[in-house]
Amino acid sequence: MLNTPKLRFKDKNENAYPEWKTKRAEEIFKNKTIKNMSELPVLSVTQDRGTILREDCGINMKYDKTALNTYKLVNKGDFIISLRSFQGGLEYSDLDGIVSPAYTVLCPLININNVFYKYYLKTYNFICSLNIAVEGIRDGKQISYNSFKTIKLNYPCLEEQEKIAGFLSKVDELINECECEVKDLEEQKKGLMQKIFSQQIRFKDSNNPYPDWKEVQLNTFATLINGRAYKQNELLHTGKYPVLRVGNFFTNGDWYYSNLQLEPDKYAENGDLLYAWSASFGPRIWMGEKVIYHYHIWKISLKKNVDKLFLLYLLEQDVSALKAQMNGGIMMHITKENMENRKFILPCLEEQEKIAKVLSKMDELIEEKKALLSNWQQFKKGLLQQMFV
């Protein structure tokens, strides 16, 4: 028996819509195998971006152009079973084009709202049902139409499908607006930092310009303190102290713990300036509980005449230059000696403080917008859980 969604719409007369039905997938979708359409653009199927033009992937994906006549036609509104559908559901296409014959292309057999199924076929409950139905399918193997066609799919009346699709589309519009605003603010900050640190923008005191900036080596105003190198068996799933590693330095990745008692310099306290010098490297100010920081992270101890927040932004700006020097290597890192000898141009302390204040205001705006974006994303997640069963 079909469960009832927690959140339902009503018709224009405030009457409840009929109870949802179920249909076998083959009653709603047919397998589409039209070929010989090589004049159309080649599409790529991704979990995070949906169906996109192959040229927009951002990587040089090679394919045999002589085989394009074997590629399958995809029209806007079609669905695609990809190699990872058992992890992320089916992908919806907003584009006309062709895809590799390795994919299964689905088009509606009956009158449906395609956008409703765009959301439904990416829900957690559907993915679970897909996994159960195609048990034995593993990463790297394709889910065939024969495996898919027997799955039972929810089928509300068309009018309720349209209302759900319209509502969720509006929520997505708001999420996209927030994402664009975050991106715009980040670009504004990037441009402002470039102008500040190239001295196109200068600050003044109440009456006079500040002194010229001076070039100094990092080791003249700061000390880099390495964390502790851990063996894998020293990292625990529970313990007294969280261990801050490069893997969770910028993200909320998996945390490990340790019960080891270490010297005070191996701990990071709230407000400490840290720098990851391997892989995803760069600075951050640690905000949170006391943690042990890993060997691939430095704690930066300031000696004199440097504002900590200003130095954070200076090091942020320096990261792009470092990456350029490393030629975009997969495993990027900088040695302690090279970093200590790295030269920076510093303004006087008072100008540093003014720069830090302006850039921190930009960061506040970005964080506020990111918080709003997160709220909308959580709101949508809750809607999907209540609207679909």
Side-chain angles (χ1 to χ4, degrees):
M1 182 177 178
L2 179 66
N3 293 325
T4 302
K6 293 180 181 179
L7 185 59
R8 296 287 305 273
F9 286 87
K10 294 182 178 180
D11 66 19
K12 60 185 178 182
N13 297 316
E14 291 299 307
N15 295 319
Y17 285 115
E19 292 301 310
W20 288 22
K21 298 178 181 178
T22 61
K23 290 181 180 290
R24 285 162 59 100
E26 63 184 343
E27 297 178 88
I28 302 177
F29 296 105
K30 68 177 181 179
N31 187 13
K32 183 174 178 178
T33 58
I34 300 171
K35 300 179 181 179
N36 295 307
M37 305 292 285
S38 59
E39 71 279 5
L40 292 176
V42 178
L43 306 177
S44 287
V45 184
T46 70
Q47 276 190 296
D48 57 338
R49 299 169 62 190
T51 305
I52 59 175
L53 293 171
R54 177 73 63 91
E55 62 201 49
D56 292 338
C57 281
I59 55 176
N60 184 21
M61 299 184 68
K62 298 186 182 298
Y63 57 95
D64 184 1
K65 293 184 180 180
T66 64
L68 291 182
N69 282 335
T70 67
Y71 278 40
K72 296 178 181 178
L73 173 67
V74 175
N75 292 118
K76 181 177 180 179
D78 288 345
F79 294 85
I80 302 169
I81 301 176
S82 71
L83 294 174
R84 295 184 179 275
S85 285
F86 60 90
Q87 293 177 335
L90 273 60
E91 302 303 332
Y92 175 80
S93 182
D94 274 313
L95 302 168
D96 293 328
I98 54 176
V99 294
S100 164
Y103 295 117
T104 299
V105 181
L106 305 171
C107 65
L109 267 173
I110 59 177
N111 196 15
I112 63 170
N113 183 284
N114 300 60
V115 177
F116 168 84
Y117 281 95
K118 168 187 173 181
Y119 291 109
Y120 171 62
L121 297 177
K122 296 287 285 183
T123 59
Y124 174 78
N125 285 340
F126 167 73
I127 294 169
C128 288
S129 68
L130 187 65
N131 275 306
I132 293 169
V134 295
E135 187 176 359
I137 295 289
R138 290 294 180 264
D139 195 5
K141 293 185 179 180
Q142 179 73 355
I143 299 171
S144 68
Y145 178 73
N146 284 335
S147 299
F148 172 75
K149 69 182 183 180
T150 58
I151 296 173
K152 291 186 177 180
L153 303 179
N154 290 331
Y155 185 78
C157 72
L158 184 60
E159 192 173 331
E160 190 171 10
Q161 289 180 35
E162 290 168 347
K163 284 203 172 183
I164 292 171
F167 187 74
L168 290 173
S169 294
K170 287 292 184 184
V171 174
D172 267 346
E173 285 178 18
L174 292 168
I175 289 173
N176 290 336
E177 285 177 13
C178 274
E179 287 175 337
C180 289
E181 288 171 356
V182 168
K183 186 176 179 180
D184 286 345
L185 285 170
E186 288 176 337
E187 287 299 314
Q188 289 177 38
K189 178 191 170 186
K190 182 180 178 181
L192 181 59
M193 288 176 69
Q194 287 174 342
K195 289 182 177 180
I196 287 174
F197 291 112
S198 66
Q199 299 182 60
Q200 294 179 54
I201 295 177
R202 289 292 307 273
F203 293 81
K204 298 179 180 180
D205 66 13
S206 55
N207 298 310
N208 302 305
Y210 288 116
D212 290 341
W213 293 26
K214 295 182 179 180
E215 186 177 73
V216 291
Q217 285 189 176
L218 185 136
N219 60 10
T220 64
F221 61 84
T223 301
L224 305 180
I225 307 168
N226 274 108
R228 187 184 188 280
Y230 279 88
K231 297 177 181 178
Q232 191 59 40
N233 61 5
E234 293 177 324
L235 294 172
L236 311 172
H237 291 293
T238 59
K240 187 173 182 180
Y241 298 110
V243 178
L244 180 64
R245 301 169 299 124
V246 173
N248 52 4
F249 190 76
F250 292 111
T251 65
N252 193 26
D254 291 338
W255 280 88
Y256 285 97
Y257 296 83
S258 173
N259 291 319
L260 297 175
Q261 295 291 326
L262 304 177
E263 56 270 31
D265 277 344
K266 304 304 180 187
Y267 294 93
E269 306 275 2
N270 186 59
D272 281 341
L273 177 58
L274 306 175
Y275 195 103
W277 54 268
S278 179
S280 299
F281 68 96
R284 69 171 292 185
I285 291 179
W286 175 246
M287 304 296 290
E289 63 179 303
K290 183 177 180 179
V291 295
I292 301 171
Y293 62 100
H294 194 269
Y295 179 76
H296 287 139
I297 297 169
W298 296 313
K299 180 163 65 173
I300 300 180
S301 175
L302 299 177
K303 296 179 182 179
K304 59 179 181 179
N305 295 332
V306 177
D307 180 84
K308 179 169 58 180
L309 193 53
F310 168 83
L311 183 56
L312 170 74
Y313 293 120
L314 181 65
L315 294 173
E316 275 186 10
Q317 181 69 9
D318 185 56
V319 165
S320 57
L322 280 172
K323 288 182 177 179
Q325 291 176 15
M326 296 171 188
N327 298 318
I330 295 174
M331 187 63 179
M332 297 181 290
H333 68 272
I334 183 170
T335 67
K336 187 174 183 180
E337 180 182 5
N338 286 344
M339 193 65 182
E340 288 175 334
N341 293 331
R342 196 162 178 80
K343 292 181 179 180
F344 296 92
I345 302 175
L346 300 183
C348 68
L349 183 59
E350 194 172 339
E351 190 171 5
Q352 290 178 32
E353 291 168 347
K354 286 195 174 183
I355 291 169
K357 185 175 181 180
V358 169
L359 292 175
S360 64
K361 285 291 183 184
M362 285 291 299
D363 273 342
E364 287 175 15
L365 289 173
I366 292 169
E367 290 307 312
E368 286 175 8
K369 193 59 66 175
K370 283 183 176 178
L372 180 60
L373 173 60
S374 178
N375 288 341
W376 277 116
Q377 290 168 334
Q378 289 301 314
F379 178 63
K380 178 186 172 182
K381 183 179 179 180
L383 287 174
L384 291 172
Q385 291 172 345
Q386 295 181 74
M387 286 181 170
F388 296 95
V389 292

